[in-house]
Amino acid sequence: MPAILQRRPWLLAAAVAATFCLSACSGFSDRTRGALSAITPYKVEVVQGNFVSKEQVEALKPGMSRQQVREILGTSLLTDVFHKDRWDYVFTIKRQGVDPQERRLTVFFNGELLDRFEGDPMPSEEEFVATLDTRKKSGKVPPLEATEEELKKFAPKDKDDSSKKADATAAAPNLPPLPAAYPPLEAAR
């Protein structure tokens, strides 16, 4: 055995471990690589900016004040010091398994009044919510309205008034009467 290995036995162990590790790497097949690529870590959903809907854009009218625009759209994401009469609304969302979305709307003012606005076509609130729902649809949605005949199955049975009172008293256990007033929460000073 070489002298260096006699003085440093851990060197031999490291060499053997490196050999095993390298041989293990060559043991990965396409099948194993495919299984490992299917296991992906969770990626955080990143949402930035203000979502502006089609309904909000339709509510904008030239001549509105800055405050009215702010009430409709919210505070703008970007307010440029060099362009005080321009507000930029930018919305981005990045989600795992879905292409990133980015929408822009720029609002221009003339003094304190809205002059014009331009930007990407905005989805309605309903369309936007539909893009967020990534759950798989499971067939047909059942109707959520009951017919008169179905409601009759659950109608209460007619009873005379005396039996109704007897049922109400039997249903409530013997409870003490409620106090006329509750004590104060804080002690008087």
Side-chain angles (χ1 to χ4, degrees), residues 20-136:
F20 282 130
C21 288
L22 290 174
S23 65
C25 290
S26 65
F28 282 121
S29 66
D30 290 336
R31 189 178 204 180
T32 310
R33 284 188 188 95
L36 288 175
S37 68
I39 302 171
T40 58
Y42 175 75
K43 293 181 183 175
V44 177
E45 182 175 296
V46 179
V47 179
Q48 293 178 320
N50 308 55
F51 169 70
V52 178
S53 70
K54 180 180 178 182
E55 293 85 0
Q56 289 171 302
V57 173
E58 289 172 351
L60 294 176
K61 304 290 181 228
M64 292 179 132
S65 69
R66 288 178 186 253
Q67 183 60 33
Q68 288 173 319
V69 172
R70 188 176 288 121
E71 288 173 4
I72 292 172
L73 300 178
T75 305
S76 66
L77 183 66
L78 300 172
T79 304
D80 192 352
V81 177
F82 300 107
H83 301 99
K84 64 178 182 154
D85 290 335
R86 173 182 168 161
W87 290 354
D88 290 298
Y89 291 85
V90 181
F91 175 76
T92 58
I93 183 169
K94 294 179 183 175
R95 302 171 60 208
Q96 186 173 357
V98 180
D99 292 334
Q101 298 178 30
E102 182 175 313
R103 293 190 181 83
R104 296 175 179 269
L105 177 70
T106 305
V107 179
F108 298 94
F109 293 94
N110 186 0
E112 287 297 312
L113 300 178
L114 177 63
D115 185 35
R116 68 183 197 283
F117 51 91
E118 58 189 43
D120 299 331
M122 302 295 171
S124 67
E125 290 179 13
E126 187 176 316
E127 293 168 345
F128 179 68
V129 170
T131 63
L132 294 179
D133 188 13
T134 57
R135 295 174 292 166
K136 294 180 180 175

Side-chain angles (χ1 to χ4, degrees), residues 6 51 77 115 123 147 172 175 185:
Q6 288 177 350
F51 169 70
L77 183 66
D115 185 35
T147 63
L175 298 175
L185 295 176

